Amino acid sequence: MGIFEKETKSGKRYQVKWRRADGTQASRNFRTIREAKDFKRQVEHEKARGVLPDDRLSKVKFADFAENEVFPHLRHSPATMRRRDGIMTNHIYPTIGNKPISKISRTDILNMMRAWDEMGLSARSILNHLNAIRPVFNEAVLRDIIVKSPMAGIKPPKPKEVLRNPMTPEQCRALLQVIDPRYAFAIEFVLGTGVRWSEFANMKIGDFNPFGNSVFVRNSKTDAGVRELPLTPSDTLMVSRHIADTGRNGAHSDSPLFTSPEGMPLHHSNFRRRIFAPACRAAGLEGVTFHDLRRTHATMLVAQGYDAKVVQERMGHKSISTTLAYYAKATEEGKVKAAGAKDQYLAVDNNPRLEDAQ
């Protein structure tokens, strides 16, 4: 590595030559010897740290790198990809899409965050925006395009806590009484299985096993979410009737398991606006979402004393902490019952295990 003086048409230049991580030679010209020495010192420092970026990639634009080198390799559900594409198209690419990724600074990121806040985006939306671009910069670091991510050290705004409203038995019954009878199957099924909307809407008739009283979840947001769920005989009968009422049978294995009365696929926004939200208003359930049906299922399992591992696997969670922290909620009956745990445990007549131990 060294600095060499050169005569060019534009006058004297100082050329810094060094070898890249792969052994190939690189060079860069500077107008002054001071600039050349500063750059040489920077290269030596980066090589010593083992973080020398590849200058050949320094002109790669953010949008090109994201679309061609990063996003195709991420395992995202179709819904997540649509949401991510919307964020990139509307809020990221217009600002930094055509900018070389090596030229994007921490200030650029902070300026975008400030603009999003002025647009009225919520803290959670801003967090989602940052999470959408984070993998791009992380990959750029791994490929030696940049030494450090411009997002390093940036603290995202703290989102407000998500309101979670697992329903009481009375609230569940109230909702079932007012929901359009043609869509009662949706409420019954999710209360009975705890599936996510995406899992519910993407199930196929071929995933339903009426003879084994079960349904298989194949399309899930996580690997842990791919699971087989046992059904009660009554839920099996309900699903079978829904298939028959919509003019289909087991031969339509690739058809959606759950559809509108006309046999059309269900879309979350339409279902929420036209069916679910009006029913919640009629039942006096303010703030309840379709996802709260899933939370209600977890809560009822815990309240009825099912093993935590069973609850975790039924919910399709990778970690039991997710199940207990975000889904299962202690019931008032459970709290009162817990107060009597000592008396029940110490009562030999009511505790065969203690009796056997004696």
Side-chain angles (χ1 to χ4, degrees), residues 28 30 45 71 114 118 130 145 153-154 185 192 276 300 307:
R28 184 172 172 182
F30 296 89
H45 178 65
F71 293 159
R114 190 176 300 110
E118 291 174 354
L130 294 176
I145 299 175
I154 290 181
F185 65 86
F276 190 77
M300 67 176 69
D307 180 80

Side-chain angles (χ1 to χ4, degrees), residues 35-189:
E35 291 175 331
K37 286 182 177 179
D38 287 344
F39 180 76
K40 179 175 179 289
R41 193 178 302 112
Q42 177 186 340
V43 171
E44 289 173 337
H45 178 65
E46 291 172 349
K47 288 186 73 173
R49 293 175 57 212
V51 292
L52 181 62
D54 192 330
D55 60 296
R56 292 168 295 187
L57 300 175
S58 62
K59 296 182 180 180
V60 176
K61 294 181 179 179
F62 179 88
D64 293 337
F65 186 72
E67 295 294 334
N68 299 322
E69 303 296 334
V70 180
F71 293 159
H73 305 291
L74 298 180
R75 293 185 59 190
H76 286 162
S77 68
T80 300
M81 287 190 288
R82 287 193 297 271
R83 186 163 55 248
R84 180 198 68 207
D85 291 345
I87 290 173
M88 304 305 287
T89 301
N90 297 319
H91 299 292
I92 307 297
Y93 291 157
T95 305
I96 62 173
N98 289 323
K99 197 169 185 176
I101 197 167
S102 61
K103 300 297 182 182
I104 299 173
S105 66
R106 172 187 173 91
T107 301
D108 292 323
I109 306 299
L110 292 173
N111 286 340
M112 285 197 300
M113 293 175 62
R114 190 176 300 110
W116 297 335
D117 182 61
E118 291 174 354
M119 291 169 57
L121 296 186
S122 67
R124 185 165 298 278
S125 293
I126 293 176
L127 178 61
N128 289 338
H129 285 33
L130 294 176
N131 288 337
I133 62 177
R134 194 181 308 279
V136 181
F137 291 114
N138 289 346
E139 185 66 20
V141 172
L142 292 175
R143 296 199 187 187
D144 294 328
I145 299 175
I146 55 178
V147 175
K148 183 179 180 181
S149 169
M151 297 183 65
I154 290 181
K155 293 184 178 181
K158 187 175 181 181
K160 295 181 180 179
E161 184 177 357
V162 175
L163 294 177
R164 299 177 177 90
N165 301 298
M167 297 185 292
T168 65
E170 293 75 19
Q171 290 174 324
C172 292
R173 286 192 286 267
L175 180 59
L176 286 168
Q177 287 175 357
V178 299
I179 193 80
D180 184 334
R182 300 174 303 167
Y183 290 94
F185 65 86
I187 309 303
E188 293 272 10
F189 186 83

